[in-house]
Amino acid sequence: MRVTKDKVVTIEYTMTSDKGKVVDTTDNGEALSYIQGRGQLLPAIEAAIDGCETGHRLAISLTPEQGYGARDESLVMTVPRHRVNVPGELKVGVKLKRKNGSRINPISVLAFDGETVTLDANNPLAGISLNIDLVIVDVRSAVDAELESGKVQSMQELYEKQAQDLSLIHI
């Protein structure tokens, strides 16, 4: 089956930075399943996968603009230390969350002293070219519940729902 809009696609991948550092991978974990054309992956990745079939292997290179965007230095800010609530000890590299309206944005501690904390609200992968080695493990039609919710259901969830539906049939 070909990858097209509204198909459930399962992939295995390794994503590396332009310097060769692994930044994300499905190795030693579960493959990633998503619904094609619903914006669940970076648009450039969905575009590269579109039309491919199960077993197809791809090597995709993304510019920062195709990935997580260019670094925006206006997202680096220094705030008074008393405004930063951290459970435990404050350390460089600690990941925090900042509420921005209804969205929660990740933010990292870059530096601190007795008076101030320098924070970075850029995505950690902003400004980095990415390389993705990817294989398409499976392609299937999405069920109605997946299309309605936008979330992939596990095979166990699908079987349980099918069994419930069958048990409701009265002959």
Side-chain angles (χ1 to χ4, degrees):
M1 182 176 286
R2 288 198 179 279
V3 175
T4 57
K5 184 172 177 21
D6 291 337
K7 297 288 189 222
V8 173
V9 182
T10 302
I11 60 173
E12 292 180 348
Y13 68 92
T14 297
M15 181 185 297
T16 57
S17 70
D18 51 358
K19 294 183 168 67
K21 179 182 176 192
V22 174
V23 294
D24 195 12
T25 185
T26 56
D27 286 354
N28 304 317
E30 284 189 36
L32 172 70
S33 295
Y34 73 97
I35 302 173
Q36 176 75 0
R38 298 288 182 107
Q40 296 172 346
L41 296 183
L42 294 170
I45 297 173
E46 282 199 18
I49 293 172
D50 201 57
C52 294
E53 295 181 345
T54 301
H56 196 107
R57 181 175 214 110
L58 297 161
I60 305 167
S61 294
L62 303 179
T63 63
E65 294 72 26
Q66 293 172 306
Y68 294 90
R71 278 193 56 75
D72 180 351
E73 292 308 315
S74 71
L75 296 176
V76 176
M77 63 204 92
T78 301
V79 298
R81 188 166 178 165
H82 73 273
R83 290 190 52 213
V84 179
N85 297 319
V86 179
E89 187 179 341
L90 184 64
K91 295 180 184 177
V92 171
V94 166
K95 307 287 186 224
L96 307 170
K97 293 178 183 174
R98 177 179 71 168
K99 190 167 185 175
N100 185 3
S102 63
R103 294 184 59 200
I104 294 178
N105 299 324
I107 194 163
S108 300
V109 175
L110 291 182
F112 65 93
D113 58 29
E115 301 291 320
T116 63
V117 179
T118 303
L119 303 169
D120 185 355
N122 282 288
N123 184 296
L125 298 176
I128 297 174
S129 295
L130 300 169
N131 299 300
I132 301 144
D133 182 28
L134 176 147
V135 64
I136 299 171
V137 176
D138 189 42
V139 180
R140 66 171 174 80
S141 295
V143 298
D144 290 342
E146 291 172 319
L147 294 174
E148 289 169 16
S149 70
K151 296 181 182 174
V152 176
Q153 295 185 351
S154 71
M155 293 311 290
Q156 181 175 348
E157 290 170 321
L158 293 174
Y159 290 139
E160 287 172 1
K161 178 161 180 11
Q162 186 178 32
Q164 286 176 346
D165 290 347
L166 289 174
S167 69
L168 296 176
I169 297 173
H170 183 35
I171 301 177

